[in-house]
Amino acid sequence: MDALMNWLEARLADNSIFTLQTLGYYGDGLVTTVQLVFLSLIIGVVLAVPLAIGRGSKKAWVRLPIFFYCYVFRGTPLLVQLYLIYYGVVFVEGIQETWLWVILEKPFVPALIAFTLNTGAYTTEIFRGAIKSTPRGEIEAARAYGMSWGLMMRRIVLPSAFRRALPAYGNEVIFMLHASAIASVVTLMDLTGAARFVYARFYAPFDAFLFVAAIYLCLTFSIIFFFRRLENRLLAHLRPAGH
């Protein structure tokens, strides 16, 4: 490790902008961005699965609140949602005297809440459409085998819906990665925040932001590659014979 650091330091000796210190800022920003996006997507999926099932309920008291949640978070900009959660939590009466303030005063948690609620709304609609398009024959076959509703959802409907939703969900993951660039507006030192810091320090906008754009491109291509491999594995039965 020391040899690698020495090699990097020698290579960057003549570069006034990209030093080990500035690369460290980008490294910390990369970790923050990956953590924020990964956690919001995981929690969003956990939130979206039951909401997608409830979204298709025939009971209005179950269906309508979920519809309202999806409508609001899909119909308003993520930046506005982030501002409302980050700045609005201060105006909740008495919250600064509770243990919650220790968590919410840090920008990462409000950003995580905003990103989770946003991706949860989009993922709910993706899964709802996939569940709704489940072939009628699969449901009738499950009922013919005597499966209960819960068993049918777990073994037939949800696995089938997940495979159909995979291409659209891959796009949602990429969207969330790109949308995470706005997290820096609430003082979170993510990738874009690191680029803004380097720009403010060295007055080199092209160097700072082209470098961070290259990092986002690498992350995007990695996500595309992962979902292509996953789609090829899970949707192999849909490919024509010989392909």
Side-chain angles (χ1 to χ4, degrees), residues 10 109 118 151 179 210 222:
V109 176
N118 185 273
L151 186 61
L210 284 176
S222 299

Side-chain angles (χ1 to χ4, degrees), residues 13 58 68 75 83 97 115 127 185 198 207 229 232:
K58 296 180 180 179
F68 180 75
Y83 276 144
E97 285 74 39
F115 279 62
F127 285 174
V185 301
V198 172
D207 303 78
R229 294 294 298 269
N232 289 337

Side-chain angles (χ1 to χ4, degrees), residues 33 180-182 184 188-197 209 212 216:
T33 295
S180 69
I182 68 171
S184 61
L188 194 65
M189 187 59 76
D190 65 338
L191 276 172
T192 307
R196 292 173 63 183
F197 177 82
F209 288 104
V212 82
Y216 277 115

